[in-house]
Amino acid sequence: MDIQQIPLFSLLSNRMSWLSARQSVLAENVSNADTPNYIARDLRPLDFAGILRDQEFALKPAATSANHISPRTGFQPEEAQGEGGTPNGKVSIEQEMIKLADTQVHYQTVTNLYQKTVGMFRTALGSRSS
């Protein structure tokens, strides 16, 4: 059984992918802080309610090929809304570092949830080796 077919793992993996992509975009903002006319970018926040609506938790037919269901990928960065710039038009390094720290905390939280869930499955299957 593919672990991604379990809705909880799918949601956690999707969140981890989004956080990784956001970390990359924010790192680009910091590295281009002194670039003239550079505009800070960020990712649109994930719509958790929309993701839950898209997930089908009811019984459904089994997929006969892994290619039948395509994973969600390709988060698109956009101009940061309502924040990021300084009066002289440059990227605010302080603001970007705050976002980076926040992203790191969220990634660690999701990683911990993922590990705990795997641990629960191992316990349920009777093979609790870490």
Side-chain angles (χ1 to χ4, degrees):
M1 175 180 197
D2 181 19
I3 199 167
Q4 294 301 319
Q5 291 179 350
I6 300 171
L8 178 61
F9 285 108
S10 176
L11 291 172
L12 291 173
S13 294
N14 193 18
R15 178 70 173 167
M16 288 169 54
S17 296
W18 183 86
L19 289 166
S20 293
R22 185 173 193 228
Q23 185 86 1
S24 177
V25 170
L26 295 174
E28 286 178 23
N29 289 345
V30 171
S31 66
N32 288 305
D34 291 331
T35 303
N37 301 321
Y38 182 82
I39 298 172
R41 300 181 321 158
D42 202 350
L43 295 182
R44 180 178 297 132
L46 284 177
D47 177 22
F48 188 69
I51 292 171
L52 286 179
R53 264 193 315 273
D54 293 344
Q55 292 285 334
E56 293 183 27
F57 295 104
L59 293 175
K60 57 184 175 181
T64 58
S65 170
N67 296 328
H68 288 174
I69 302 172
S70 60
R72 293 176 184 242
T73 58
F75 302 107
Q76 296 297 320
E78 58 187 32
E79 188 174 319
Q81 299 295 319
E83 56 190 65
T86 59
N88 61 4
K90 297 196 181 226
V91 175
S92 170
I93 294 178
E94 294 83 8
Q95 188 72 5
E96 297 304 311
M97 295 305 286
I98 290 169
K99 290 183 200 175
L100 281 166
D102 182 57
T103 301
Q104 181 181 10
V105 167
H106 285 282
Y107 192 87
Q108 288 173 345
T109 302
V110 173
T111 302
N112 288 338
L113 283 170
Y114 197 94
Q115 290 173 343
K116 295 293 182 184
T117 305
V118 168
M120 288 191 307
F121 274 93
R122 285 184 178 160
T123 300
L125 294 173
S127 59
R128 179 71 181 158
S129 59
S130 296

